[in-house]
Amino acid sequence: MSRRTDTPALPQRRRFLQVLAGTAGALIVGVRYAEAGDAPVPPAMLGDALYGLGAYVRIDADGNVLIGARDPDTGTGVATSLPRIVADELDADWSRVSVVPLGLGVENGNGEPRWSYGHQLGGTGSSISAAWTDLRQAGALARWLLMQAAARRLGVPADRLRTQGGAVISPDGRRFDYGSLAEAASKVAPPTAPVAVKTPDRYTLIGQPAGDVDARAIVTGQTQFAIDSYFGDALVAVLVHCPWIDGSLVNKDFREAEAVKGVFKVVELKPEPGLLPGETPLAPSVAVLAEDTWSALQARARLKLEWKPGPSGSESSAALEQQATELVSAKTPSAKELAANPASQPIAPTTRVRNDGDVDGMAKKAARRVDATYVQPWLAHATAEPMNCLVRVDKDRAVLVAPTQAPQRAWSVVQRLTGFKPDQIEIRVPRVGGGYGRRLDHDFVAEAVMLAKLADRPVRLLWTREEDLAHDYYRSASVYRLSATLDAKRQIVTWDQRMASASALARRGAPEQRLWTSEVDVNQLPAGLVPNYRSDWYALQSALPRGPHRGMPHVANAFAVESFVDEIANALKEDPLATRLRLLGDARQVPLQGGGTFDTGRLLNVLKLVADRIEWKNWLRTVNGLGIACWHMDGAYVAHAVETSLQGQKLNIERVVCAVDVGRVINPLGLEGQIAGATLDALSAALNLAVTFKDGQPQQRSYKDYPLASMAQLPDAMDVIIVPGDRDPAGASFLAMPTAAPALANAVFRVSAVRVRRLPLMRELLRLL
């Protein structure tokens, strides 16, 4: 079984030179590797070679294979799937592979950063698709070098050789272990043109199930997260942030805090003016620096602080919801009215995202109209691992251990604060305890670096859970107003969608005309399926902090759209599955705005798979509620079916089925776990989670008042159906998020309707008896 090696050692330069001088027989394939003597090296690799973490592939003289995982693993399994892409092309023996998190790959290119590994972004659904070409090439190059070395040894052409299970095999059956060829292969000049990669019929690892390389370490408590990392002389830092991001500190008394034994210093931090959110501290704060966590927390409790609110201090989630409701409910001006006098039309949408056909004109001719409004709350990220960062800033070098989803963005923050050259900044990224988009921002990294510079010592910054929930970049609440008209043949003639929310891109450098892109997708269902389709977005003005959140913009939109499809089915008094099948129509390629196509056949397939598995044929007869929903995004297709029951007033989720089509699957077992996890995450949010603001402050400060779903609330059984495919792989880290919640809502709607209809009938039967 492959394993992950992620506990780095820091050998002294003398140890490094001794090991390097004795190095022999190591094959390194990938990009240039860092030559710094204090680079972190896995202890398991301190034997006969010390080539650290800068190459994708290393093969030593014993035949051990080290493969680097370039993207941060936030629980998405990329630490397994990415190395397996390399290992398959290499024809490595997976049981002899060790996986190492690469950390940030950066070199100095005339003062500018040169990214050694290219894509280094975790938890955004892009890791596999971005890696598919270049990681196969890295593995193929290593295999090519080994075959050239074997060919020279045997005196035969390389194209007469083959590779299998970590060995090159000659025509007469002789096997040469990769370890015996590594030294010679390292001296072969690489080809001038890309090496041919395998054809799919030769895959041995891709498409086969594999357990997570971190699984054993996680369940035995051995995994080292950033929050577990430590430099021997590091101070512990804890913070008290201003309750308002635009507030200020007006009175302070640090004396009692500074008197606590072990306290090193109490300091103020302020956001740097003119910088975008995520590049500087989120809000003014006071930091306690101490020799240990206990002393820091005790001193923090003794701080006497008085904060003054800024403009955000008057905001409330209730008022914002009311504002959003008024916006989406107002009369929409016609195109002619907008053209005549756009400045005098306050009810005009901020952005008309899409406008197909003639919605207003065709709506007047339709036989039936359906309207619905949906409200979704503010959400926090609530990652299992709160924000933290370990940093050491020396005279000419900075070393960070950071739970980041975007190491290159973190580097930018460190570089600005230190002025160091690109290769003077080292960022290590161990397993991340949840990201969900929160760790695409690096306010906590800025805080840690600022504190390390102030203290002139390494700093281990730790946010408390209360600080983590109260000082987040939240997902904005949203209000939807949906209207659809139908003709006499039950076909949807027009679809008019209005959404109001506070853009996650506001004040983040995005042009005003693109602020909608974090809130709604131009190609989301049923765009392209309804001839007269309009999507409007209304911007809420708010100073509350917002940022990227898992599954944006699809999750919120899918809930409204797929719930509304059931409302249409209910108005027509028909099976919601039949409504969806009619809407999707025959299998075909629907052009997408911006390029590409939407394959309705693939969406139809996953929809029918979940319907069959949950026995949708019983939809009308069962006393339980069955709900269904489907969605497509970025070349991937997903559907959910949910069965619920009511026992008195208690809702039970009896069963959940999810089907996904992501094209070629790298690791089916990992994909199944990712789909199940995202489903449970979505159900938890739908059942329990909401952030409310009063006087500009979130009212939820712990898991007690922001409760993740308990095991008792979640289904006992869940089926994941993976559709095999031969297309290039699409992302799946949050693929199951959009449809789980609307399928649940539709199931609850159905079971509630069944209960309402059946109770009067039962009373009548009892009266007759």
Side-chain angles (χ1 to χ4, degrees):
M1 177 182 291
S2 65
R3 64 189 186 279
R4 170 159 160 155
T5 304
D6 59 358
T7 307
L10 289 173
Q12 296 177 353
R13 181 165 293 275
R14 179 174 296 179
R15 168 63 174 153
F16 177 82
L17 294 174
Q18 288 173 344
V19 175
L20 184 59
T23 294
L27 171 62
I28 310 295
V29 174
V31 296
R32 287 182 296 275
Y33 57 92
E35 297 178 352
D38 58 352
V41 179
M45 304 308 295
L46 287 177
D48 52 350
L50 184 56
Y51 291 93
L53 305 177
Y56 284 125
V57 180
R58 174 186 180 276
I59 303 173
D60 68 15
D62 295 328
N64 298 309
V65 179
L66 181 71
I67 299 180
R70 69 180 186 182
D71 286 7
D73 196 324
T74 61
T76 58
V78 294
T80 303
S81 53
L82 295 184
R84 279 177 75 82
I85 295 174
V86 178
D88 197 310
E89 285 292 341
L90 176 60
D91 269 334
D93 179 352
W94 186 247
S95 67
R96 300 191 69 181
V97 170
S98 295
V99 175
V100 174
L102 287 175
L104 176 66
V106 61
E107 297 174 337
N108 188 5
N110 295 321
E112 295 297 322
R114 184 166 57 216
W115 307 118
S116 303
Y117 308 129
H119 185 281
Q120 285 198 276
L121 198 63
T124 62
S126 59
S127 290
I128 299 298
S129 55
W132 181 237
T133 298
D134 52 355
L135 292 194
R136 280 188 299 155
Q137 185 60 221
L141 175 57
R143 175 168 45 83
W144 185 90
L145 293 171
L146 290 160
M147 293 180 72
Q148 298 301 313
R152 295 178 184 183
R153 180 177 297 184
L154 290 167
V156 300
D159 59 11
R160 296 186 59 194
L161 305 175
R162 64 186 178 90
T163 55
Q164 181 180 346
V168 178
I169 304 173
S170 69
D172 60 9
R174 285 180 292 169
R175 296 175 62 91
F176 296 88
D177 184 88
Y178 283 172
S180 67
L181 299 169
E183 181 178 6
S186 67
K187 299 174 183 177
V188 175
T192 57
V195 177
V197 297
K198 284 183 177 182
T199 53
D201 60 293
R202 295 174 55 204
Y203 291 156
T204 57
L205 298 177
I206 293 173
Q208 300 301 313
D212 194 310
V213 294
D214 287 335
R216 183 177 296 276
I218 290 173
V219 299
T220 57
Q222 299 178 62
T223 299
Q224 292 290 303
F225 295 89
I227 202 169
D228 302 312
S229 302
Y230 192 70
F231 296 148
D233 57 343
L235 295 167
V236 174
V238 296
L239 301 171
V240 176
H241 288 95
C242 176
W244 305 277
I245 60 169
D246 49 9
S248 57
L249 183 62
V250 292
N251 282 304
K252 60 187 180 183
D253 185 346
F254 299 164
R255 288 173 296 181
E256 287 189 30
E258 291 173 331
V260 173
K261 183 179 179 181
V263 169
F264 176 79
K265 187 181 292 187
V266 179
V267 298
E268 291 184 58
L269 290 181
K270 296 180 180 179
E272 301 164 88
L275 294 179
L276 301 178
E279 297 180 354
T280 190
L282 183 150
S285 65
V286 172
V288 176
L289 294 155
E291 299 293 341
D292 56 78
T293 308
W294 176 256
S295 299
L297 291 174
Q298 291 300 303
R300 179 181 181 272
R302 289 168 170 76
L303 289 171
K304 296 179 180 178
L305 309 173
E306 182 183 348
W307 302 98
K308 178 183 177 181
S312 67
S314 61
E315 292 199 42
S316 74
S317 50
L320 287 169
E321 181 181 322
Q322 179 62 34
Q323 178 190 350
T325 302
E326 292 172 357
L327 285 171
V328 299
S329 302
K331 177 182 178 295
T332 303
S334 66
K336 184 176 180 180
E337 290 171 329
L338 283 172
N341 193 2
S344 65
Q345 301 293 333
I347 58 172
T350 306
T351 303
R352 180 146 285 170
V353 175
R354 184 160 177 164
N355 191 21
D356 299 344
D358 180 8
V359 172
D360 295 328
M362 296 304 296
K364 295 175 182 177
K365 304 175 184 179
R368 184 191 297 263
R369 180 186 179 98
V370 181
D371 298 285
T373 300
Y374 301 94
V375 179
Q376 297 187 66
W378 293 80
L379 291 180
H381 294 87
T383 58
E385 180 186 13
M387 300 305 107
N388 69 93
C389 184
L390 175 63
V391 57
R392 182 178 68 225
V393 179
D394 298 324
K395 182 176 67 174
D396 58 358
R397 187 168 182 80
V399 180
L400 282 81
V401 184
T404 172
Q405 292 178 245
Q408 293 168 1
R409 298 182 193 177
W411 176 92
S412 298
V413 171
V414 180
Q415 198 279 332
R416 187 191 72 253
L417 290 170
T418 62
F420 288 157
K421 296 177 181 178
D423 56 356
Q424 292 178 306
I425 300 170
E426 177 190 336
I427 299 180
R428 308 174 196 167
V429 188
R431 182 90 176 202
V432 180
Y436 313 135
R438 176 61 177 93
R439 290 184 160 100
L440 295 171
D441 286 317
H442 296 93
D443 48 305
F444 58 98
V445 170
E447 290 172 337
V449 174
M450 292 166 73
L451 289 171
K453 291 179 64 180
L454 284 170
D456 197 23
R457 279 181 61 178
V459 166
R460 185 173 177 235
L461 174 67
L462 303 173
W463 281 31
T464 64
R465 175 62 61 192
E466 180 183 46
E467 290 292 317
D468 195 66
L469 279 170
H471 298 90
D472 199 356
Y473 290 107
Y474 304 93
R475 188 200 78 175
S476 171
S478 55
V479 176
Y480 295 80
R481 177 69 178 173
L482 291 159
S483 298
T485 61
L486 301 94
D487 62 18
K489 296 181 180 180
R490 299 189 170 200
Q491 295 290 342
I492 299 176
V493 177
T494 69
W495 182 288
D496 189 2
Q497 173 176 313
R498 306 178 188 181
M499 176 194 185
S501 64
S503 172
L505 293 176
R507 301 188 302 276
R508 287 176 174 261
E512 289 291 322
Q513 64 271 24
R514 299 294 295 171
L515 293 180
W516 63 271
T517 57
S518 66
E519 309 304 302
V520 63
D521 189 275
V522 68
N523 292 307
Q524 69 184 38
L525 289 176
L529 302 178
V530 177
N532 305 286
Y533 174 90
R534 184 165 62 205
S535 175
D536 287 341
W537 176 68
Y538 297 81
L540 290 181
Q541 302 304 315
S542 172
L544 298 176
R546 289 102 60 195
H549 198 277
R550 190 178 191 189
M552 289 178 67
H554 297 280
V555 173
N557 286 273
F559 182 85
V561 168
E562 285 298 287
S563 296
F564 188 54
V565 172
D566 266 48
E567 301 265 12
I568 294 172
N570 184 63
L572 294 173
K573 297 181 171 58
E574 73 174 358
D575 181 339
L577 177 60
T579 308
R580 285 176 171 82
L581 295 177
R582 186 170 61 252
L583 176 61
L584 290 172
D586 297 330
R588 64 198 187 280
Q589 300 292 326
V590 177
L592 298 176
Q593 289 193 8
T597 59
F598 154 41
D599 189 334
T600 63
R602 294 173 71 183
L603 190 60
L604 282 165
N605 184 45
V606 293
L607 187 62
K608 292 175 181 178
L609 285 171
V610 296
D612 290 344
R613 182 67 61 89
I614 210 161
E615 300 178 287
W616 191 266
K617 61 186 179 182
N618 296 323
W619 173 79
L620 190 60
R621 296 188 293 270
T622 179
V623 296
N624 288 347
L626 297 180
I628 202 165
C630 62
W631 203 250
H632 75 94
M633 58 180 179
D634 303 324
Y637 301 83
V638 60
H640 270 94
V642 176
E643 180 180 359
T644 60
S645 66
L646 280 176
Q647 297 179 359
Q649 296 300 312
K650 183 177 181 293
L651 174 70
N652 292 319
I653 303 175
E654 301 291 343
R655 201 155 52 114
V656 175
V657 179
C658 182
V660 294
D661 181 349
V662 298
R664 189 173 300 282
V665 178
I666 306 302
N667 179 11
L669 187 60
L671 177 59
E672 181 179 345
Q674 190 60 36
I675 295 303
T679 297
L680 297 180
D681 188 13
L683 295 177
S684 177
L687 290 168
N688 291 8
L689 302 182
V691 174
T692 55
F693 291 90
K694 182 179 180 181
D695 298 327
Q697 297 185 51
Q699 303 302 291
Q700 292 70 31
R701 301 300 180 93
S702 70
Y703 282 140
K704 182 178 180 180
D705 45 23
Y706 194 76
L708 305 181
S710 66
M711 292 180 66
Q713 290 179 290
L714 296 172
D716 293 332
M718 179 175 174
D719 294 339
V720 176
I721 305 170
I722 297 174
V723 177
D726 57 5
R727 297 174 177 84
D728 284 356
S733 69
F734 51 78
L735 177 60
M737 295 286 292
T739 50
L744 172 62
N746 292 336
V748 172
F749 176 77
R750 175 63 185 168
V751 76
S752 301
V754 170
R755 175 68 64 89
V756 170
R757 285 199 300 270
R758 286 175 180 270
L759 280 177
L761 176 61
M762 291 176 64
R763 293 194 189 102
E764 181 63 18
L765 288 173
L766 288 172
R767 187 185 66 80
L768 293 173
L769 289 172

